[in-house]
Amino acid sequence: MGLTAERARELFRYNQKTGSLTWRRNKGRAFAGDEVGCLNGNNQCRTTRVDGKSYLVHRIIWLYVTGKWPRYEIDHKDGNNGNNAWKILRDVPRVLNQQNQRH
């Protein structure tokens, strides 16, 4: 079935201003208040595992805020994949996301 918005809100806290997604309680080596996930390669996106499945943190944030999974890709309007502040995230088709890539 996968992660639901309710489960995401049970596990995490999200600060829309700073873009920080943190754990609500201790989980393995992560402690309550720790930032969720680790950097994923060169693109600086954070990933995490929930209930045995891997997720991009910015997609979890979209689910957390809107209550549904993004339809397309999550674009960071400022071109900084490490910035998950709500005001710079948008759900766009791949072609629009690629136009906003920094080279």
Side-chain angles (χ1 to χ4, degrees), residues 20-101:
S20 176
L21 188 71
T22 57
W23 292 101
R24 282 189 178 270
R25 57 183 179 264
N26 298 346
K27 180 183 181 278
R29 290 181 282 188
F31 296 97
D34 285 353
E35 191 165 8
V36 173
C38 59
L39 292 180
N40 176 19
N42 294 332
N43 67 7
Q44 301 299 302
C45 290
R46 297 184 76 80
T47 61
T48 194
R49 293 187 68 77
V50 176
D51 301 327
K53 188 171 179 189
S54 184
Y55 296 94
L56 291 167
V57 168
H58 57 253
R59 293 182 68 82
I60 293 174
I61 289 169
W62 192 270
L63 173 69
Y64 183 103
V65 173
T66 69
K68 56 189 171 192
W69 285 105
R71 183 172 178 196
Y72 301 109
E73 294 183 357
I74 298 301
D75 177 47
H76 298 77
K77 291 187 273 188
D78 66 354
N80 177 357
N81 289 339
N83 181 1
N84 287 318
W86 183 249
K87 69 181 180 180
I88 63 103
L89 299 180
R90 63 182 181 165
D91 183 16
V92 299
R94 177 169 288 233
V95 66
L96 289 177
N97 191 11
Q98 289 176 331
Q99 289 173 359
N100 194 28
Q101 297 298 309

